[in-house]
């Protein structure tokens, strides 16, 4: 079992920046990837960004060039730096941790409770 805790959400004006953090607890599972998703009121949860165990990153088109995901492997922590925020970035941001016992083993995923980001116009 992996505990996932997000932090850093806040109310910010359009054009501002926020840095979200996601901390995953230690376990005997290996972390394969950590990603961020968001969900706006009345909308489906959507994928935002992901970083893999080898450091590879990927972003949704809507946030490319504005968001940056980074990882501190020693601390099992991932950060999402969000610049030039827009009102449409408003939502609950969730951290998603994908784990396994090793190559070829099934993957298990864990979610945090979310952190609220509100961008005012």
């Amino acid at each position: 079992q992996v505990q996932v805790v997000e932090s850093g959400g806040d109310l910010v004006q359009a054009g501002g920046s926020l840095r979200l953090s996601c901390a995953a607890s230690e376990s005997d599972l290996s972390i394969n990837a950590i990603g961020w998703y968001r969900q706006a009121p009345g909308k489906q949860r959507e994928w935002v960004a992901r970083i893999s165990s080898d450091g590879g990153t990927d972003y949704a088109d809507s946030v490319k060039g504005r968001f940056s995901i980074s990882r501190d492997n020693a601390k099992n922590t991932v950060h999402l730096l969000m610049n030039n925020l827009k009102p449409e970035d408003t939502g609950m941001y969730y951290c998603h941790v994908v784990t396994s016992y090793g190559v070829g083993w099934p993957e298990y995923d864990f979610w945090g409770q979310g952190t609220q980001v509100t961008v005012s116009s």
Side-chain angles (χ1 to χ4, degrees):
Q1 189 77 9
V2 175
Q3 305 300 319
V4 181
V5 179
E6 305 97 334
S7 62
D10 206 344
L11 169 64
V12 64
Q13 288 189 333
S17 298
L18 280 177
R19 190 178 83 151
L20 305 184
S21 296
C22 169
S25 64
E26 293 288 337
S27 77
D28 54 354
L29 290 161
S30 297
I31 294 178
N32 295 341
I34 298 179
W36 286 95
Y37 287 72
R38 66 187 180 188
Q39 187 167 18
K43 294 188 176 181
Q44 288 189 329
R45 189 173 296 189
E46 64 173 357
W47 170 71
V48 174
R50 175 177 54 242
I51 186 165
S52 61
S53 58
D54 64 2
T57 59
D58 201 6
Y59 300 91
D61 288 342
S62 59
V63 306
K64 275 182 183 176
R66 299 188 299 123
F67 290 13
S68 177
I69 189 170
S70 61
R71 181 171 174 175
D72 183 341
N73 286 332
K75 298 181 179 179
N76 273 358
T77 299
V78 163
H79 304 289
L80 182 69
L81 177 61
M82 307 185 295
N83 294 319
N84 191 21
L85 282 162
K86 304 175 181 181
E88 50 264 41
D89 294 318
T90 294
M92 186 70 77
Y93 281 68
Y94 297 92
C95 184
H96 178 234
V97 179
V98 180
T99 68
S100 73
Y101 284 105
V103 176
W105 287 81
E107 291 186 329
Y108 305 93
D109 61 342
F110 302 91
W111 292 88
Q113 293 298 309
T115 185
Q116 178 67 38
V117 172
T118 303
V119 184
S120 63
S121 57

